[in-house]
Amino acid sequence: MSETVTHVGSGKVRELYALDDDRLLLVASDRISTFDVVLPTEIPDKGRVLTGLSAFWFAQTGSLVPNHLLALRDDGRSTECKRLEMLPIECVVRGYLAGSGWKDYRATGEVCGHRLPAGLVESQQLPAPIFTPATKALEGHDENIDRAAGAALVGESRYDEVERLSLELYRTVSKRAASLGIILADTKLEFGVDESGQLVLADEAFTPDSSRFWPADEYTPGGPQPSFDKQFVRDYCESLGWDKTYPGPELPADVVEGTRARYIEAFERLTEIEFDAYAERPEVVLG
Ligand code: Q0N
């Protein structure tokens, strides 16, 4: 017996297929991107690590907000998801000043309309986490927007609801990560609406591809922080003097192996589950 699946979309490193009118299949590949370029070399098990971590967080946060996860497939890299009407904004929460948040703060003293204290340094922890939504760019970078622009896209009450839920999710996950020696600097969430009008957390949540994870024992504000997962790849790419346009460089075996080990370490530290146990039986992450 076999099923007919229709490819309905792709991201840089994931594919989305329609299973039927109500369900999608989200498949995480082993592809890796750096400096916005997908590299020609894959990181074995990366897709399984990210799928398992995301499913773990869906299970951990299911009492805060419903999510789109229906089933984890035995391959460990595919999830059956409830098909939703996606909101047209990326829901970003920042607890630390990095990336475009740092860039905007340096230029204006604000991030998405949040006026911040003067004198903050790069990577510094914010007085409190802030909700900093962005538009979904089809190509190029998402654009940070303020409350007025976000509310114009989703409506005032929906905006308030995703802001409250995003902050609650960030607080819950960052608290667990911190207790395990990992800083969740920021994270990007996507929500959809189901047939009853309820908000549902979708996509991939609290993975290294959607979040900045920093090892707490190396945290040094005042500059950029090493990435938990991609630092070997970045360092190798920088050492080549590559101009960061396509095609990216092939990665040598030691960089692949070191990076794979970092993804697995992130999975095991955050879930306290052995990756081999997940590979054997993916449902172990559902608790
Ligand atoms: C959906 N995207 C954005 C995968 C991620 N549950 C859902 N229902 C309807 N649509 C979507 C989801 C989810 N998740 C999410 N696009 C459609 C990002 N995609 C890009 C391709 O890879």
Side-chain angles (χ1 to χ4, degrees), residues 8 12-13 26 42 54 61 88-89 107 115 122 136 138 143 160 171 185 189 209 211 215-216 250 277 286:
V8 294
K12 282 209 176 79
V13 301
L26 183 56
E42 297 192 330
S54 186
T61 61
I89 59 173
R115 166 119 338 238
E122 186 173 8
K136 294 182 182 181
L138 291 177
E143 185 194 348
D160 290 343
R171 281 191 293 264
L189 302 169
D209 276 8
S211 314
E250 300 267 8
L286 302 179

Side-chain angles (χ1 to χ4, degrees), residues 9-11 14-16 24 26 68 81-84 86 190 202-203:
S10 32
R14 287 169 303 149
E15 309 289 340
L16 206 49
L24 299 174
L26 183 56
H68 74 163
C81 308
K82 186 187 221 337
R83 191 175 213 154
L84 306 165
M86 299 301 290
E190 288 204 42
D203 204 15

Side-chain angles (χ1 to χ4, degrees), residues 48-143:
R48 291 201 292 177
V49 164
L50 269 58
T51 297
L53 246 188
S54 186
F56 174 80
W57 293 122
F58 282 144
Q60 294 284 310
T61 61
S63 61
L64 299 179
V65 56
N67 57 67
H68 74 163
L69 176 68
L70 297 172
L72 261 176
R73 291 217 167 158
D74 285 342
D75 64 8
R77 69 166 73 249
S78 313
T79 45
E80 296 175 11
C81 308
K82 186 187 221 337
R83 191 175 213 154
L84 306 165
E85 201 66 57
M86 299 301 290
L87 296 187
I89 59 173
E90 307 273 8
C91 293
V92 178
V93 178
R94 300 172 189 276
Y96 292 75
L97 210 39
S100 68
W102 166 241
K103 217 168 124 224
D104 292 353
Y105 169 75
R106 220 177 16 179
T108 68
E110 296 185 3
V111 185
C112 297
H114 298 273
R115 166 119 338 238
L116 297 175
L120 298 178
V121 298
E122 186 173 8
S123 305
Q124 190 167 339
Q125 185 170 23
L126 297 172
I130 54 175
F131 181 63
T132 60
T135 58
K136 294 182 182 181
L138 291 177
E139 266 179 41
H141 279 115
D142 297 341
E143 185 194 348

